[in-house]
Amino acid sequence: MVSNKTGPTLVSFSKFCTTVNSEKRVKEAIVLNDLFREVTGFEPVLWGDSIVGYGRYHYRYKTGREGDFLATGFAPRKAKLSVYIMPGYTDFSEILSRLGKHTTGRSCLYINKLSDVDIKVLGELIVAGIADLNRHWPVEPT
């Protein structure tokens, strides 16, 4: 089995916040942590050095590749906030149309600043993403 480059660490969320270079991003990370904990019921786990994850799942592809990864989470990057909705099987366009200013990648949502989006709609999206992921790969708590 090939292991993922990014894995869970023992670094606490509060310790992680001391490494975030922008006071604005720290404040946004605290708001996001509260939101993710509320809507998922999971505790934060730092994956790698910059992704705050909630829940985890084990995947096994037809190719034989398998591993564990965070179920959902975020990273307070310098340029944008990255929100991870894994692994992106479903079209969430209806929810995204109500979210506010954002861009998307394959399994990521990019937000310039948290005030650009409706936080309640973001919570709805996180819940929908976890439910979709759980239909494909069982999600476990962290």
Side-chain angles (χ1 to χ4, degrees):
M1 176 170 75
V2 178
S3 64
N4 288 327
K5 208 166 74 170
T6 303
T9 71
L10 298 176
V11 177
S12 70
F13 176 75
S14 58
K15 179 72 174 171
F16 164 69
C17 284
T18 66
T19 68
V20 177
N21 292 329
S22 160
E23 181 74 24
K24 175 185 156 193
R25 287 292 190 235
V26 170
K27 289 177 181 176
E28 290 175 324
I30 291 168
V31 170
L32 285 172
N33 179 52
D34 290 344
L35 175 67
F36 275 86
R37 290 179 72 189
E38 178 184 332
V39 301
T40 67
F42 301 144
E43 292 298 315
V45 172
L46 189 67
W47 287 70
D49 59 1
S50 63
I51 300 174
V52 183
Y54 302 82
R56 65 187 306 145
Y57 69 102
H58 183 81
Y59 61 86
R60 180 176 290 130
Y61 298 133
K62 290 178 184 175
T63 62
R65 179 177 165 84
E66 65 180 289
D68 296 301
F69 206 60
L70 61 114
T72 190
F74 70 91
R77 309 250 186 244
K78 184 176 181 181
K80 296 178 190 264
L81 295 166
S82 298
V83 177
Y84 301 95
I85 307 296
M86 304 303 206
Y89 291 113
T90 299
D91 177 8
F92 295 116
S93 58
E94 190 281 321
I95 299 172
L96 291 171
S97 71
R98 297 182 283 115
L99 181 62
K101 187 178 176 182
H102 70 278
T103 56
T104 58
R106 188 170 180 195
S107 293
C108 289
L109 175 75
Y110 301 105
I111 301 167
N112 288 333
K113 57 188 184 289
L114 205 49
S115 61
D116 285 343
V117 299
D118 183 321
I119 197 81
K120 289 183 181 181
V121 175
L122 181 57
E124 184 182 334
L125 179 63
I126 294 164
V127 169
I130 287 283
D132 181 60
L133 175 61
N134 199 49
R135 285 190 285 274
H136 300 276
W137 311 104
V139 174
E140 300 173 0
T142 51

